[in-house]
């Protein structure tokens, strides 16, 4: 049984499940996302949650094949909040009615609160919420009161306050729901959470757990030089000291000069550090491969194979350490949830791994929490706050087949882009990079015709990397970057700027 105060999020396949978790963590309350089908009552027994949230999902609760919620969940005496499909699942399980709506609601919708509710304390009586549903609740369960409505949804929120059961048809977790954070904070209060989730306690607790788990055995850390693997490496070093060896695999898909920079940073730490130059090996494996998921999985497997080779040189190594974080886990799919993309250290692992166990000390942290953990561990500011770089590297910033020539093109273009961003002293960007599209187009340079590639520039603003807005970079900066790239990078005659948000796009291109 867990001794940590927490809220359990039961996932029905919703696209916003990670956002719900993020919002609860913002209230200094620990939470975990689990698929509803994962032995739900055993989960509840082991985790002892203060509250339960049922997520949205793509199904219709009245369909024979849809995932139903066991009514016993609502008789445990634990506060429950159902969101969208979760609200419908609660209603259906407790004897209410859910039917296809005559008018579907998508996007921003005006909500009207019609009855006082602990869930709506200090929430404006009229506000804007985000709807995404084709079914609606047409009859409340016994003893439930309707607390909010919209023009086309007479039952937009309902509750049985005596049993601490709450349901909303809209999505309070997304930024488009104006009072959403307040609503979720009110649910945290309903759960009587003390809001004591702190990063310093997480760091101390994790170090002690790692000491106990690994003891005097050896571990090998997959070090990329990025924020996640760097924090994982230092955390492990605090726990097991010289029994940790950090292997930095230069797969030839890093940014320009980055391999040397990573090596120079970690020379200053009391770590066993090994650099492996494996660029040719990776390029050979990627030859002819164009499908993004396949590229990710190939790169993931090759990482493991290189680590296995290095581990045998060291001696008996029982544990492989990875910098997996919570968005990696969620985006790689939970049960019936959609796989957004297989992260190379989650869904990209091969079936056979020559280590007794994989250790992921950051597996339950979001990106900003990882940065906070890094600060608690004393990592330098420039490393903790460096922009993220994916494990597969430039392999997923090159659309289509990865070749040595393409790698050089995107390295040079990206270097120019980052250099100009630094010169312009732009500091509010969450992530920015250049990607090589697979599009070639006609251009003119000097008196000659060209038929070369287009580079796409990406820059986003984000706090948690679960959602992101395209940055509104000045035309002066963009035009300077474009001019430099087409003049200085051989093989490029066109530069584009990606202004898409996440969702519907992801931050990376593949």
């Amino acid at each position: 049984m867990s001794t940590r105060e927490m809220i359990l999020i039961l996932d029905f396949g919703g696209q916003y499940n990670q956002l719900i978790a993020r919002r609860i963590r913002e209230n200094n309350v620990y939470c975990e996302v689990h698929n509803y089908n994962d032995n739900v009552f055993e989960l509840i027994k082991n985790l002892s949650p203060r509250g339960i949230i049922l997520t949205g999902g793509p199904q219709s609760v009245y369909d024979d094949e849809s995932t139903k919620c066991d009514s016993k969940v609502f008789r445990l005496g634990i506060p429950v909040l159902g969101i969208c499909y979760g609200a419908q699942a609660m209603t259906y399980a407790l004897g209410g009615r859910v039917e296809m709506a005559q008018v579907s609601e998508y996007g921003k919708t005006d909500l009207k609160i019609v009855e006082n509710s602990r869930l709506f304390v200090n929430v404006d009586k009229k506000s804007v919420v985000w709807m995404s549903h084709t079914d609606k609740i047409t009859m409340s369960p016994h003893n439930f009161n309707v607390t909010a409505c919209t023009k086309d949804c007479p039952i937009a929120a309902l509750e049985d306050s005596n049993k601490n059961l709450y349901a909303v048809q809209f999505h309070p977790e997304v930024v488009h729901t104006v009072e959403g954070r307040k609503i979720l904070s009110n649910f945290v209060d309903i759960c009587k959470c003390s809001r004591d989730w702190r990063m310093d306690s997480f760091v101390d607790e994790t170090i002690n757990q790692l000491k106990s788990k690994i003891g005097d055995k050896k571990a090998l850390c997959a070090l990329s030089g990025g924020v996640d693997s760097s924090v994982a490496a230092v955390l492990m070093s605090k726990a097991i000291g010289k029994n940790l060896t950090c292997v930095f695999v230069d797969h030839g898909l890093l940014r320009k000069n980055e391999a040397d920079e990573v090596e120079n940073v970690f020379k200053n730490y009391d770590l066993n550090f090994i650099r492996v130059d494996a660029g040719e090996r990776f390029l050979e494996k990627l030859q002819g491969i164009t499908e993004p998921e396949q590229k990710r999985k190939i790169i993931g497997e090759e990482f493991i194979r290189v680590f296995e080779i290095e581990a045998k040189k060291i001696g008996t190594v029982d544990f492989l350490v990875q910098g997996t974080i919570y968005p990696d886990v969620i985006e790689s799919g939970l049960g019936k949830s959609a796989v957004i993309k297989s992260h190379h250290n989650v869904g990209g692992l091969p079936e056979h791994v020559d280590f007794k166990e994989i250790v992921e000390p950051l597996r339950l942290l979001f990106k900003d929490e990882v940065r906070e953990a890094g600060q608690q561990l004393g990592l330098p500011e420039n490393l903790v706050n460096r922009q993220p770089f994916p494990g597969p590297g430039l392999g997923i910033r090159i659309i289509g087949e990865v070749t040595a020539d393409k790698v050089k093109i995107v390295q040079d273009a990206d270097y120019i882009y980052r250099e100009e961003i630094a010169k312009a002293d732009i500091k509010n960007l969450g992530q920015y990079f250049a990607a090589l599209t697979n599009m070639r187009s006609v251009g003119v340079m000097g008196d000659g015709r060209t038929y070369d590639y287009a580079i796409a520039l990406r820059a986003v603003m984000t706090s948690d990397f679960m959602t992101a807005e395209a940055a509104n970079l000045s035309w002066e900066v963009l035009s300077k970057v474009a001019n430099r790239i087409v003049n200085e990078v051989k093989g490029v005659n066109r530069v584009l700027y990606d202004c898409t948000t996440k969702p519907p796009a992801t931050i990376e291109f593949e």
Side-chain angles (χ1 to χ4, degrees):
M1 182 178 291
S2 173
T3 57
R4 178 189 285 161
E5 180 181 88
M6 70 165 300
I7 288 177
L8 172 61
I9 299 169
L10 294 176
D11 176 37
F12 288 91
Q15 61 178 319
Y16 300 128
N17 51 21
Q18 69 272 42
L19 281 178
I20 300 172
R22 191 66 206 93
R23 299 295 175 245
I24 297 301
R25 296 272 184 97
E26 286 173 357
N27 283 278
N28 297 114
V29 176
Y30 181 73
C31 65
E32 291 183 16
V33 181
H34 289 271
N35 182 267
Y36 175 78
N37 293 317
D38 290 346
N39 299 316
V40 61
F41 292 104
E42 186 176 335
L43 265 175
I44 293 170
K45 179 182 177 182
N46 292 334
L47 297 176
S48 301
R50 289 290 184 93
I52 296 172
I53 296 178
L54 310 178
T55 77
Q59 306 171 83
S60 291
V61 73
Y62 48 78
D63 286 347
D64 292 339
E65 300 298 318
S66 66
T67 304
K68 308 296 192 295
C69 190
D70 194 317
S71 62
K72 292 196 291 289
V73 170
F74 309 109
R75 298 199 293 268
L76 297 172
I78 301 171
V80 182
L81 171 63
I83 295 174
C84 199
Y85 182 87
Q88 296 167 7
M90 181 190 295
T91 298
Y92 192 84
L94 295 175
R97 186 182 302 132
V98 179
E99 299 175 300
M100 181 178 289
Q102 291 181 328
V103 179
S104 300
E105 286 183 309
Y106 291 100
K108 294 180 180 179
T109 307
D110 292 325
L111 181 81
K112 180 180 179 182
I113 296 173
V114 296
E115 189 171 313
N116 289 334
S117 167
R118 291 172 66 193
L119 196 65
F120 296 138
V121 170
N122 296 324
V123 173
D124 291 340
K125 296 297 182 183
K126 293 183 179 180
S127 64
V128 174
V129 298
W130 184 263
M131 287 283 195
S132 179
H133 67 101
T134 55
D135 297 327
K136 69 177 182 179
I137 299 167
T138 56
M139 186 180 78
S140 302
H142 183 62
N143 288 332
F144 272 68
N145 295 320
V146 177
T147 54
C149 65
T150 70
K151 176 177 173 290
D152 295 309
C153 188
I155 306 177
L158 63 161
E159 67 181 52
D160 181 345
S161 58
N162 292 324
K163 294 181 179 178
N164 277 331
L165 302 179
Y166 302 84
V168 294
Q169 183 60 68
F170 55 90
H171 289 274
E173 68 273 22
V174 303
V175 295
H176 309 294
T177 296
V178 176
E179 301 270 33
R181 280 182 165 85
K182 200 176 293 182
I183 292 168
L184 290 173
S185 178
N186 287 337
F187 182 67
V188 168
D189 287 338
I190 290 168
C191 297
K192 298 181 179 178
C193 293
S194 57
R195 301 174 187 256
D196 60 356
W197 165 246
R198 295 288 185 274
M199 194 48 59
D200 54 353
S201 60
F202 168 84
V203 167
D204 292 340
E205 181 183 330
T206 302
I207 289 172
N208 289 331
Q209 287 174 348
L210 291 169
K211 283 180 180 177
S212 175
K213 180 185 184 69
I214 297 175
D216 59 358
K217 294 177 181 173
K218 292 184 178 180
L220 186 151
C221 180
L223 180 62
S224 70
V227 178
D228 304 333
S229 65
S230 297
V231 173
V234 176
L235 198 60
M236 289 296 301
S237 178
K238 297 274 188 185
I240 64 172
K242 285 293 186 179
N243 282 336
L244 173 70
T245 298
C246 293
V247 176
F248 168 49
V249 178
D250 178 4
H251 53 18
L253 303 172
L254 296 170
R255 289 170 287 203
K256 189 172 183 177
N257 302 330
E258 189 162 36
D260 293 337
E261 292 170 2
V262 169
E263 185 172 5
N264 289 334
V265 166
F266 281 92
K267 278 180 178 176
N268 298 320
Y269 288 88
D270 187 24
L271 298 168
N272 296 318
F273 180 90
I274 297 172
R275 174 174 171 176
V276 182
D277 293 315
E280 289 185 10
R281 175 182 180 136
F282 278 79
L283 283 176
E284 184 179 334
K285 291 288 184 179
L286 291 167
Q287 189 173 351
I289 305 300
T290 60
E291 206 279 318
E293 276 291 284
Q294 194 176 357
K295 285 199 286 186
R296 284 178 172 274
K297 290 181 182 295
I298 287 171
I299 294 169
E301 175 157 359
E302 285 309 297
F303 263 112
I304 296 296
R305 298 305 169 225
V306 173
F307 294 141
E308 288 172 346
I309 292 169
E310 295 303 318
K312 287 174 182 174
K313 295 177 184 176
I314 297 165
T316 302
V317 177
D318 294 293
F319 299 94
L320 171 66
V321 184
Q322 294 190 148
T324 310
I325 65 173
Y326 214 20
D328 299 343
V329 177
I330 294 173
E331 289 187 341
S332 294
L334 289 169
K336 291 186 178 180
S337 295
V339 176
I340 298 171
K341 54 189 177 183
S342 292
H343 290 260
H344 81 280
N345 50 352
V346 185
L349 287 177
E351 290 184 10
H352 172 71
V353 178
D354 194 18
F355 296 93
K356 288 184 180 178
E357 191 171 342
I358 292 175
V359 178
E360 299 166 316
L362 309 177
R363 185 181 178 87
L364 296 176
L365 297 188
F366 287 92
K367 178 67 74 173
D368 57 316
E369 292 172 326
V370 174
R371 295 189 195 281
E372 191 178 344
Q375 291 171 341
Q376 291 289 334
L377 289 163
L379 281 163
E381 187 76 16
N382 64 332
L383 180 60
V384 170
N385 289 317
R386 73 183 298 185
Q387 61 166 317
F389 188 67
L394 302 180
I396 57 170
R397 292 180 182 174
I398 296 171
I399 310 301
E401 184 183 8
V402 179
T403 67
D405 288 341
K406 288 182 178 179
V407 170
K408 186 174 189 318
I409 288 172
V410 77
Q411 282 179 333
D412 290 344
D414 182 75
Y415 186 83
I416 290 169
Y417 186 30
R418 289 186 290 126
E419 193 173 58
E420 291 301 330
I421 291 289
K423 286 180 183 176
D425 199 29
I426 301 171
K427 297 184 181 298
N428 63 336
L429 302 178
Q431 195 168 352
Y432 52 96
F433 57 87
L436 181 63
T437 73
N438 206 26
M439 182 187 84
R440 300 180 75 181
S441 61
V442 174
V444 178
M445 297 190 77
D447 294 324
R449 174 187 184 276
T450 62
Y451 189 63
D452 287 329
Y453 288 106
I455 283 285
L457 304 177
R458 182 81 158 133
V460 299
M461 295 179 294
T462 179
S463 60
D464 54 21
F465 294 87
M466 292 290 93
T467 61
E469 297 287 333
N472 186 16
L473 297 183
S474 72
W475 185 248
E476 181 184 2
V477 170
L478 287 174
S479 61
K480 188 178 292 185
V481 172
N483 286 334
R484 282 195 61 191
I485 288 175
V486 295
N487 281 290
E488 297 176 31
V489 181
K490 186 178 179 181
V492 177
N493 66 1
R494 197 176 295 268
V495 177
L496 314 172
Y497 186 67
D498 182 353
C499 56
T500 321
T501 61
K502 175 186 180 181
T506 55
I507 293 176
E508 297 291 344
F509 276 62
E510 292 190 337

